[in-house]
Amino acid sequence: MTDPPKKRPQRKRRSRKTRSDRDDTRNQEVSRGQSEGLSHREKRRAERRQERETEGNKRRGWDGSGQVHKVHKDDLDPRALDPDALRVVTRLQRSGFEAYFVGGCVRDLLIGRRPKDFDVATDATPNEIRRLFRNGRIIGRRFRLVHVHYGNNIIETSTFRCEPPEQKGNGDLLIVEDNEFGTAHEDALRRDFTVNALFLDPSTFKIHDWVDGMRDLESRLLRTIGDPMVRLAEDPVRILRAVKFATRLDLEIEEGTWQAMRKLADGLGRSAPPRVLEEILRLLRSGSAFGAMKMLRAAGGLGVIFPVLEERLGDRDADDHMIQQRTAFFWRLLEALDQRVHNGLEPSNALLLAVLFTPLVEESFRPDHTHLERLRIAEDCIAPASERAHLAKRDTARAARILANHPLFVQQPDERFSPILFTLTREFDESLVYFGLRVQSRGKGMDVFEAWLDRRGRAQEADEDELGEERKRVRGRKRSRRRRSGGRGKSSR
């Protein structure tokens, strides 16, 4: 007789927990484990940070809760979320750290724009981030952060910062070091504008707002966090960022912020030239260069960064007809650039500088100048502005060649100039785009521009034999002229 089958003991069913319950339990366990493993120095540092946070909250009249806005996931385009950035936030949160999408990516998501890049902020230090991501690289000295690389995609991951300690000495507010770690709300309070201080948790679709950024975003208002005189004095490059956000996102600058921009524009001369140049190039390639440069000039910043250009544009109320024509053409050129950018153009730095410096060389070329003479004139005109702004020599040299090339497009072919060979030069494509902008600005010459497009197409289809014959023809003309001049020199001795 066979034994009856044994019954399996019933397994005790675990109570099901919601995702938030599991997260809370995990965070408590991680927090307990971290606190038990802290050294005495680290515990004291955490206590001082908590004391500083409490004092700061009392000073600002903030109770620590802020505002939390729940965004329905259907309100955000899932295709706009960067999967690599999501991967960074998820790993940080699973390791027990706070992590959010911050800054411009949150702002752009909320207004329906597709963010160009995603920034992540966390309470993990740069070294802790680096240990979690083998593909991470710590960069920066004034502001240490981690670049997490996924192929060509870089996720900028920074640690929460707090206000730096007051600098002793002359009372200068300019921030020269910014590696004081803090909490999420401290990090929000030290940012530049309210619309850039929103923190999005992609796992819960909750937005943490400590500065009324959501209200300003709904009102289409650009406002600094705190006293604008202090915020802009800390980092005058924020003036350029304000111009960029206002013109690109169609925001109205709050009156107190605008007055502070005008009063503190001189501070741009003390800012790091590479940072100023980077923001200027962003303004020019933003698709709103016309409005941005006009606003920057109205704020007084253009004359600080490029005083020679400001001088060439002249007084707004000048009666000089030549100055009025020169200035009007410059603004139309920027409008043409904006239109091309909206149509898909990705301008190089050299092309942007050529457009920017057009008023400096516009009236310096004469019809009898050779190409070499025009190149030297362009280099001499650009030199003062490039030295003051610390522009890269590679970009300024290419910009000078672009400016010197544009008269060639209306030059008649002769024995010294070959249109086919000109189309094969290194700067031709950029020079042709610049010539097209000039044609569009003046409203005439489109037939000449289209003819050059045809020449470029024929040159690209030409075989090596045809190009070789053309090179021999031009080279032979040059040699024959040198022989004749040499013969006359010998006979005169």
Side-chain angles (χ1 to χ4, degrees):
M1 186 173 179
T2 58
D3 296 332
K6 294 182 179 180
K7 293 183 178 181
R8 284 186 181 177
Q10 290 186 351
R11 298 176 61 181
K12 188 176 181 180
R13 297 182 63 183
R14 292 184 298 178
S15 60
R16 298 184 63 182
K17 293 183 178 182
T18 63
R19 178 175 179 177
S20 59
D21 293 335
R22 292 195 302 269
D23 291 343
D24 292 341
T25 303
R26 185 185 66 240
N27 291 338
Q28 291 174 4
E29 293 174 353
V30 173
S31 177
R32 191 187 310 111
Q34 288 180 342
S35 62
E36 291 175 356
L38 291 178
S39 64
H40 176 71
R41 179 180 298 178
E42 291 172 331
K43 288 181 180 179
R44 286 293 303 151
R45 186 183 301 167
E47 291 173 359
R48 287 195 299 268
R49 181 184 299 175
Q50 184 63 36
E51 292 172 358
R52 185 178 65 247
E53 177 182 341
T54 304
E55 293 175 0
N57 294 341
K58 291 180 180 178
R59 185 171 63 252
R60 300 183 186 95
W62 181 69
D63 61 1
S65 60
Q67 299 181 31
V68 179
H69 305 270
K70 179 70 173 179
V71 179
H72 197 279
K73 62 180 181 181
D74 292 337
D75 294 337
L76 302 179
D77 184 2
R79 296 171 298 178
L81 298 178
D82 190 326
D84 294 329
L86 283 171
R87 189 177 295 121
V88 172
V89 170
T90 301
R91 184 179 299 182
L92 285 166
Q93 291 179 344
R94 288 178 176 174
S95 300
F97 298 106
E98 284 185 84
Y100 306 95
F101 290 157
V102 296
C105 64
V106 181
R107 178 200 66 223
D108 290 347
L109 285 171
L110 292 175
I111 62 177
R113 293 172 62 97
R114 191 180 186 90
K116 290 185 177 179
D117 48 41
F118 281 75
D119 295 336
V120 174
T122 176
D123 60 347
T125 65
N127 289 329
E128 289 172 330
I129 300 170
R130 177 65 184 85
R131 283 195 291 268
L132 284 175
F133 298 94
R134 291 184 298 175
N135 52 338
R137 302 289 181 271
I138 297 178
I139 66 165
R141 182 174 300 174
R142 172 183 177 268
F143 189 98
R144 295 180 72 237
L145 48 83
V146 179
H147 278 178
V148 183
H149 294 255
Y150 292 96
N152 294 327
N153 191 18
I154 298 177
I155 307 301
E156 190 171 281
T157 308
S158 60
T159 306
F160 298 145
R161 258 68 175 182
C162 65
E163 294 180 1
E166 295 182 3
Q167 302 179 50
K168 299 179 181 179
N170 57 6
D172 192 354
L173 294 175
L174 184 68
I175 296 177
V176 295
E177 187 173 351
D178 197 9
N179 279 318
E180 290 289 323
F181 299 150
T183 61
H185 74 265
E186 283 180 321
D187 189 78
L189 293 173
R190 57 164 290 283
R191 291 178 178 266
D192 48 8
F193 304 103
T194 59
V195 296
N196 292 338
L198 301 173
F199 287 50
L200 170 63
D201 185 346
S203 65
T204 61
F205 287 93
K206 290 182 179 178
I207 295 178
H208 298 264
D209 180 10
W210 291 278
V211 294
D212 287 334
M214 290 289 286
R215 183 184 63 184
D216 287 342
L217 195 59
E218 293 171 355
S219 303
R220 312 296 291 181
L221 190 67
L222 188 68
R223 184 200 309 270
T224 58
I225 298 173
D227 186 351
M229 292 294 292
V230 174
R231 275 291 181 259
L232 298 182
E234 289 175 345
D235 186 2
V237 175
R238 288 171 175 165
I239 296 174
L240 300 178
R241 289 170 57 80
V243 171
K244 176 180 65 177
F245 297 140
T247 53
R248 192 182 69 180
L249 304 176
D250 192 24
L251 303 178
E252 179 183 355
I253 299 179
E254 183 260 338
E255 182 61 26
T257 301
W258 173 251
Q259 294 301 329
M261 289 169 59
R262 297 185 62 185
K263 293 177 182 178
L264 299 173
D266 288 342
L268 289 168
R270 299 186 299 126
S271 301
R275 293 186 64 219
V276 173
L277 175 61
E278 181 183 6
E279 291 296 335
I280 289 293
L281 294 177
R282 285 178 177 175
L283 292 178
L284 291 173
R285 61 166 50 97
S286 65
S288 56
F290 170 73
M293 297 307 292
K294 277 210 163 188
M295 182 178 290
L296 180 60
R297 192 184 187 206
L302 185 62
V304 175
I305 303 170
F306 298 113
V308 180
L309 177 60
E310 175 70 21
E311 181 181 352
R312 291 291 289 175
L313 293 177
D315 189 6
R316 297 174 183 81
D317 301 326
D319 295 331
D320 192 322
H321 181 64
M322 184 175 295
I323 293 178
Q324 291 178 353
Q325 281 189 325
R326 181 195 307 145
T327 305
F329 176 67
F330 177 64
W331 298 129
R332 290 197 302 270
L333 197 63
L334 291 178
E335 286 183 304
L337 175 63
D338 289 340
Q339 186 173 345
R340 289 296 307 274
V341 168
H342 288 303
N343 291 336
L345 174 68
E346 296 182 359
S348 65
N349 290 349
L351 177 60
L352 295 176
L353 293 177
V355 172
L356 184 65
F357 293 143
T358 294
L360 305 184
V361 302
E362 181 63 21
E363 298 154 13
S364 301
F365 296 156
R366 295 199 308 266
D368 59 335
H369 281 155
T370 65
H371 181 263
L372 184 59
E373 289 172 336
R374 288 195 299 268
L375 180 58
R376 290 174 178 171
I377 291 171
E379 291 173 343
D380 292 341
C381 291
I382 291 176
S386 64
E387 290 175 2
R388 182 180 180 87
H390 294 242
L391 303 178
K393 292 183 179 180
R394 176 187 58 191
D395 293 333
T396 54
R398 288 179 68 89
R401 288 194 288 271
I402 292 172
L403 291 167
N405 280 346
H406 90 260
L408 295 176
F409 290 98
V410 294
Q411 177 176 321
Q412 294 297 325
D414 57 22
E415 61 183 22
R416 295 174 299 173
F417 175 61
S418 169
I420 293 180
L421 296 182
F422 176 46
T423 62
L424 301 177
T425 56
R426 186 170 51 183
E427 288 84 19
F428 175 79
D429 288 341
E430 291 175 318
S431 301
L432 182 61
V433 173
Y434 176 72
F435 177 69
L437 295 176
R438 294 179 63 92
V439 166
Q440 186 175 343
S441 303
R442 296 192 183 280
K444 59 182 180 180
M446 185 57 66
D447 55 336
V448 179
F449 177 74
E450 292 174 351
W452 277 102
L453 291 176
D454 293 338
R455 286 193 182 102
R456 181 176 63 180
R458 292 198 303 269
Q460 292 173 348
E461 295 174 357
D463 56 30
E464 281 300 322
D465 293 338
E466 295 180 43
L467 297 177
E469 289 296 327
E470 187 67 13
R471 292 189 184 98
K472 287 180 182 179
R473 183 185 69 80
V474 175
R475 195 179 299 122
R477 293 290 185 180
K478 292 181 179 179
R479 286 178 177 174
S480 63
R481 287 197 303 274
R482 281 198 295 268
R483 289 195 191 98
R484 286 196 300 270
S485 63
R488 286 195 298 272
K490 291 180 181 179
S491 61
S492 63
R493 288 182 181 176

